[in-house]
Amino acid sequence: MMTRRLIQLFSGLAMYGISLALFIRAGLGLDPWDVFHQGVANRTGLSIGAVVIIVSFLVLLLWIPLRQRPGFGTLCNAVLVGVFADVGLALIPAVSHPVAQFGMLAGAVLLNGVASACYIGARFGPGARDGLMTGLARRTGWSVRLSRTLIEISVLAIGWLLGGLVGVGTVVYALAIGPLVQLLLPWFMVPTAVPRPAGKAPAPVP
């Protein structure tokens, strides 16, 4: 079970980074956090992968007053998504034909959904941004939906002002990713171990 969880975690984070590169190369708009990452990258000259890593650890600092504790997967997420985003950008060329752009966008959304289901289903802890959302909801009494909306509207607006790309891809991601992850998650959710009652021997194998 641990082997499966680790494979899911690392595969999911790799796919998530590659999906970010696909969104960028499609040129049709990014999800709210990546609009922010791209805007910061444009202003600083850092690679977008480096910005993703730096922002992840800055967000983790906000977990302290929210009394959130990072898991193993949280720390891996903070590093590996950015690394694989830069790898993807080095390997995937930009496209300009509309058919290719929308095809790449569709592939990015699908890959992102699979990636999210993989690393969430591995049960190694939430990503830094997801933990910020749930921690804020718990500490304030707001709903998770409200917390997520307020956070994502804020980073989207700041990212757009910094020059991040907002477009049809931003809308497609917002509408599609939730239902897609909900559909895929049961296929990737690792079941929790059920403890055996003390003193009870395992059933014989027929």
Side-chain angles (χ1 to χ4, degrees):
M1 190 67 71
M2 180 59 70
T3 300
R4 174 188 166 180
R5 292 175 67 199
L6 289 170
I7 290 172
Q8 273 196 209
L9 173 67
F10 293 122
S11 298
L13 297 178
M15 289 188 290
Y16 203 102
I18 297 298
S19 74
L20 169 53
L22 287 171
F23 275 112
I24 293 172
R25 292 308 191 209
L28 295 174
L30 308 176
D31 71 272
W33 273 105
D34 290 328
V35 171
F36 176 73
H37 297 146
Q38 189 182 50
V40 173
N42 290 343
R43 294 298 179 123
T44 61
L46 295 171
S47 72
I48 195 162
V51 172
V52 169
I53 294 170
I54 292 168
V55 170
S56 294
F57 281 100
L58 291 176
V59 170
L60 284 176
L61 293 178
L62 299 177
W63 283 32
I64 297 173
L66 298 175
R67 298 181 182 177
Q68 291 275 94
R69 292 185 178 181
F72 173 69
T74 308
L75 300 176
C76 291
N77 186 309
V79 175
L80 294 181
V81 170
V83 169
F84 280 100
D86 279 348
V87 170
L89 287 171
L91 297 175
I92 301 169
V95 294
S96 57
H97 192 282
V99 173
Q101 286 180 290
F102 279 98
M104 191 172 283
L105 173 63
V109 173
L110 179 59
L111 186 62
N112 191 278
V114 174
S116 299
C118 274
Y119 86 76
I120 293 170
R123 299 180 183 270
F124 276 114
R129 295 152 189 79
D130 292 331
L132 176 63
M133 171 187 67
T134 56
L136 183 63
R138 192 184 68 252
R139 293 288 289 174
T140 61
W142 298 343
S143 68
V144 172
R145 178 179 296 181
L146 176 60
S147 299
R148 177 173 182 167
T149 300
L150 291 175
I151 291 170
E152 293 196 348
I153 287 176
S154 298
V155 296
L156 177 64
I158 295 170
W160 177 71
L161 290 173
L162 291 174
L165 180 60
V166 179
V168 64
T170 309
V171 177
V172 170
Y173 181 89
L175 294 176
I177 196 62
L180 185 58
V181 173
Q182 184 175 355
L183 176 67
L184 294 171
L185 194 55
W187 293 88
F188 294 98
M189 184 63 72
V190 176
T192 55
V194 179
R196 191 171 63 245
K200 185 175 180 179
V205 178

